[in-house]
Amino acid sequence: MKEFCSKWAKRIATKQMALIAVITLVATLIGMWAAQFEGLKILGALIIALLIGMVVQFPIRAWYTKDDPQRAAGVKDAAGLIANKFLRFGIILLGFKLNLELLFTTGAKCLPLAALVVAVTVFVTYWICRWMGVDPLMAILVSCGTGICGAAAVMGVSGSIKVSPKRESEKENDEVTAIAIVAIMGTIFALLEIAILPLLNLTQPQEGFIAGGSLHEIAHAVAAGEGLNRPVPAGQVDAATMANIMKLSRVLMLVFVSIIVAIWWDKRHSEVTEVGGKRKVAFPWFMLGFIATAAIGTLFLQTVPASAGFINALGGDVAKIFLGMAMASLGINVNFKAIAKTGVKPLIASFIASIILVLICWGLAVLFF
């Protein structure tokens, strides 16, 4: 125990860790502030933090780590540690935002449809990626980001995948590439849906279902839902509410998909072995924390209504701070050459899959709502 604490203390108590922690926190706060503005709201705080991290890496390399391998290694390790640990803690906190009572009552019809949408989208996107020659790791990250909930899904599923030490850098680059792809696709399709859906003679619940079922980031679904919102008859759910319910139903699927991917990756692609030649499944334990916080948050909202502000803050701004710092850290370590080399085919695959996803959600909206 003493050796363990000493090891982590040496890794955490460094100048590089303090520097990266401050930079990523500032990037996150800027992202949260910028995301309030209409033009940037559709991107969301996490993607803005990622972009800031990608830009900040240039002055860090030019002024701080230049010609100093020890500093460069310290920055890389600090950014990697924050990206890894803060991401998991942020996803756990995000569970407080998941109102299980709302999902199992008002959104009861959405849950099985969300499971169907996620399963089909992940499978189809992965198949298209592999057909185009995309590496399995990149393919599954893009598939889950497209099918579930954007950046959080990419990072959540990535936590289920264990790779050999020599592939860690490749995995980090694939994460950033996949996040960039789903951010681009989500933004494009959110704008298209806001413009086109009102022309299709759909009801507000139908429009909201399509937005929540087909858009990638939570920020995309929220922005589109608000953009589509119109007055509705008494007793009918408006587009914004339905978009949120359907999107949160898809977020819930992240737990099951992460576990399935962990088992699938271990059987098909694992390169990691333990002593004795046995493989170790990278079970996403933090997803159990996500479910636990969702249950705790829902219980408190039911029994202590006055706690609503605190619960919403934990699942909202506090979770965003940890997730944003993780995203900014990823941006600091990103390899732009690797993105340019590996990003085109999965971008095309995600675009094709996103069109299919919209058509599926349109059909389900007409059939069930």
Side-chain angles (χ1 to χ4, degrees), residues 88-97 290 293 314-316 318-319 322:
R88 285 159 173 73
F89 190 59
I91 288 179
I92 290 172
L93 290 176
L94 197 62
F96 284 112
K97 197 176 182 67
F290 174 80
T293 53
L314 285 176
V318 178
F322 283 97

Side-chain angles (χ1 to χ4, degrees), residues 243-325:
N244 288 340
I245 291 172
M246 185 56 188
K247 188 62 194 176
L248 291 177
S249 298
R250 288 169 69 199
V251 171
L252 184 60
M253 299 303 126
L254 177 57
V255 178
F256 308 106
V257 173
S258 296
I259 295 171
I260 292 169
V261 168
I263 297 170
W264 166 78
W265 185 268
D266 174 67
K267 290 183 178 297
R268 297 291 298 274
H269 301 288
S270 180
E271 305 166 351
V272 182
T273 58
E274 287 187 297
V275 178
K278 295 181 179 179
R279 291 199 303 269
K280 182 179 180 182
V281 179
F283 187 85
W285 296 105
F286 62 96
M287 283 299 171
L288 300 183
F290 174 80
I291 289 294
T293 53
I296 292 169
T298 302
L299 178 64
F300 268 82
L301 288 175
Q302 288 180 327
T303 57
V304 189
S307 67
F310 178 67
I311 295 298
N312 290 332
L314 285 176
D317 288 344
V318 178
K320 277 183 184 176
I321 288 172
F322 283 97
L323 291 171
M325 290 178 71

Side-chain angles (χ1 to χ4, degrees), residues 35-189:
Q36 300 176 68
F37 296 98
E38 202 60 41
L40 297 173
K41 186 183 295 184
I42 203 164
L43 282 178
L46 302 187
I47 300 302
I48 296 173
L50 173 67
L51 294 174
I52 293 173
M54 293 169 76
V55 172
V56 165
Q57 69 162 277
F58 294 105
I60 290 176
R61 289 178 180 176
W63 300 332
Y64 186 71
T65 63
K66 185 180 181 181
D67 301 325
D68 193 329
Q70 188 173 357
R71 282 186 177 181
V75 166
K76 184 176 178 62
D77 182 66
L81 188 62
I82 290 176
N84 185 293
K85 304 305 178 186
F86 279 33
L87 184 280
R88 285 159 173 73
F89 190 59
I91 288 179
I92 290 172
L93 290 176
L94 197 62
F96 284 112
K97 197 176 182 67
L98 199 66
N99 189 327
L100 297 179
E101 182 186 21
L102 179 66
L103 289 184
F104 291 122
T105 53
T106 307
K109 193 189 293 186
C110 290
L111 286 170
L113 296 178
L116 175 64
V117 166
V118 167
V120 171
T121 306
V122 170
F123 177 81
V124 169
T125 311
Y126 184 81
W127 182 84
I128 295 172
C129 283
R130 296 294 290 139
W131 177 73
M132 295 180 70
V134 178
D135 179 82
L137 177 59
M138 174 72 83
I140 194 62
L141 294 180
V142 171
S143 301
C144 293
T146 302
I148 308 173
C149 55
V154 171
M155 296 303 293
V157 169
S158 180
S160 304
I161 296 173
K162 209 173 183 83
V163 298
S164 59
K166 65 181 180 181
R167 291 195 69 193
E168 280 295 339
S169 293
E170 178 188 340
K171 181 182 176 184
E172 289 177 5
N173 290 327
D174 284 354
E175 290 168 355
V176 177
T177 305
I179 289 168
I181 287 170
V182 295
I184 292 168
M185 288 298 107
T187 302
I188 291 172
F189 279 84

Side-chain angles (χ1 to χ4, degrees), residues 190-207:
L191 294 172
L192 289 174
E193 289 184 17
I194 291 172
I196 295 173
L197 290 183
L199 306 177
L200 300 182
N201 197 31
L202 299 168
T203 65
Q204 281 279 283
Q206 288 172 337
E207 291 181 8

